[in-house]
Amino acid sequence: MKKVKYFYNTQTLKYEKLVVSLRVKVLRILGFVSAAIVTGFIFLSISYRVLDSPKEKNLRRDLEVMNEKYEEMQSRMKEVKSQLAELEHRDNEIYRVIFEASPIPDSTRAGNMAKEEELTQMASFSSSEIIASTGSLLQELVHRIGIQAKSYEKIDDLVKNKQKMLASIPAIQPVSNKDLKRIASGFGYRIDPIYKTVKYHSGLDFAAPAGTPIYATGDGVVEEASMSDVGYGNHVVVNHGYGYRTRYGHMLRIKVKAGTAVKRGDVLGWVGSTGKSTGPHCHYEVEKNGEKVDPVYFFFNDLSPEEFDRMLKIARSGNQSFD
C-alpha cells in the first residue's frame, strides 16, 4: 500500500496531505539518473585503469609470448654468429691458405652498410616485425652456414688429395747441386750473352757438364718433349696440375715423350747446349697459373734455411745468363 505523507500547515493549523508536483518528480528522477551515470563513469574509469579488459589480457599474453620468442631467437642468434665466425676464420685464414685457394671475399658476407641499414629499419619496427626480421636473419645465417659447410666439403676433397698435391708441386732442383755452385744466372733482368743487352730472364740457369741428368722436380705428365723453335733447344715441359708447369731447356738428349707420367726425381734428359745457348746448362722455369715465377722459391725439399739464404744471394747477383 502506498504511503501517504502529511505536513503541518501553520496557516490553517491543520495537517494536510503532501502533494508532490510533476515538475519536482521529473527533477528528482533526472538528478538520480545523472548521479548514477556519473558514478558509473567514475567506476568504469577506475576499472579500466586498474583491471585489464579481455582484449588487453590477450595483448599482454601475446606480448609475453613474443618476448619469450625474441629472447630465444637472440640467444640462438648469438650461438649461430659465433659458429659462423669460427667457420669463416678457419676457412679463410687456415684451410684456404694451406691449399692456396682464394679466400671468400668479405663482400659476399653481411657488410657494415647492410647491418647499419638493417638496424635503422628495425628501430622503426613493431615487436612482431622485429621478430619476423630476426627470424629472417636467422634463416640467412643458417643458409650461409650451409654454404660454408659445402666449402668445407670441397676443402675436404683437397685434404684427401693433399699428398698428391705436395708430390706434384715443384720442390727440388732439376740437377744435382749439393754445393750450390751450379746456379749460373738467376730470375729477372740479366745481360743477354749474345746481344749483350739487358733482357728478361724467365728462369734459372744451372751450369753443369754435358750429360748431367736433369730430374723432374715434381710429379706430373710430360706436356712437351721436342726441339723448340724459340731458343730452348731440346726441351721438356711437365704439367704438374694445381696450376703448376715446369720447363727444362737446352738438353743434349731427351729421355721422355709427350704424355709420359713422371714422378719427382725421374730423369727427363741430360744437360746440353742446344738452341740459343752459350754453354752446357739447364734452363729451368716454373709457371704458376700461367705466370712465370722465380724458381728459387721451389727448392724447399732440397735446402736448409741456411742453404736457401746462400742460394738466394747467388740467384740475385746480376750476372750474365747462359741463354
Side-chain angles (χ1 to χ4, degrees), residues 81 110-121 144:
K81 282 185 176 180
N112 292 331
M113 292 181 64
K115 291 180 180 178
E116 291 176 1
E117 290 178 0
E118 182 183 348
L119 291 174
T120 302
Q121 292 176 355
R144 288 174 62 187

Side-chain angles (χ1 to χ4, degrees), residues 34-200:
S34 299
I37 292 174
V38 172
T39 303
F41 180 77
I42 294 173
F43 177 76
L44 288 176
S45 298
I46 295 174
S47 298
Y48 276 115
R49 291 187 178 184
V50 176
L51 304 175
D52 290 337
S53 67
K55 183 177 181 180
E56 288 177 332
K57 287 182 179 179
N58 291 334
L59 291 175
R60 193 180 299 277
R61 190 181 303 112
D62 291 342
L63 182 60
E64 290 176 355
V65 173
M66 286 191 293
N67 284 335
E68 291 178 359
K69 290 184 178 179
Y70 182 72
E71 291 177 0
E72 181 181 347
M73 284 185 178
Q74 286 295 316
S75 176
R76 176 61 176 157
M77 188 77 70
K78 290 180 181 179
E79 180 182 350
V80 171
K81 282 185 176 180
S82 176
Q83 293 175 353
L84 184 58
E86 177 63 21
L87 289 173
E88 290 173 350
H89 172 75
R90 291 168 64 188
D91 191 21
N92 280 348
E93 303 299 330
I94 301 176
Y95 302 125
R96 290 183 176 272
V97 171
I98 292 174
F99 296 104
E100 298 183 6
S102 300
I104 297 176
D106 291 338
S107 59
T108 62
R109 312 184 192 280
N112 292 331
M113 292 181 64
K115 291 180 180 178
E116 291 176 1
E117 290 178 0
E118 182 183 348
L119 291 174
T120 302
Q121 292 176 355
M122 289 182 66
S124 62
F125 286 172
S126 64
S127 297
S128 60
E129 289 173 326
I130 290 177
I131 291 177
S133 176
T134 304
S136 176
L137 181 59
L138 183 60
Q139 290 179 351
E140 179 186 351
L141 290 175
V142 171
H143 177 68
R144 288 174 62 187
I145 288 178
I147 293 175
Q148 196 68 52
K150 291 181 180 178
S151 175
Y152 276 158
E153 290 177 4
K154 293 180 181 179
I155 292 177
D156 185 58
D157 292 337
L158 291 175
V159 171
K160 293 176 181 178
N161 294 324
K162 177 66 175 177
Q163 194 66 34
K164 180 180 177 181
M165 184 182 74
L166 291 177
S168 299
I169 295 176
I172 64 173
Q173 297 176 81
V175 297
S176 179
N177 187 27
K178 293 182 179 180
D179 57 5
L180 307 182
K181 293 182 179 180
R182 286 186 167 173
I183 291 188
S185 179
F187 181 87
Y189 287 94
R190 295 291 186 271
I191 298 174
D192 187 279
I194 297 175
Y195 302 108
K196 303 303 180 182
T197 58
V198 176
K199 295 185 67 176
Y200 184 72

Side-chain angles (χ1 to χ4, degrees), residues 221-226 235-239 245-248:
V221 177
V222 176
E223 203 170 75
E224 296 179 35
S226 62
H235 75 295
V236 171
V237 176
V238 177
N239 190 330
R245 296 169 76 239
T246 52
R247 185 188 302 272
Y248 313 78

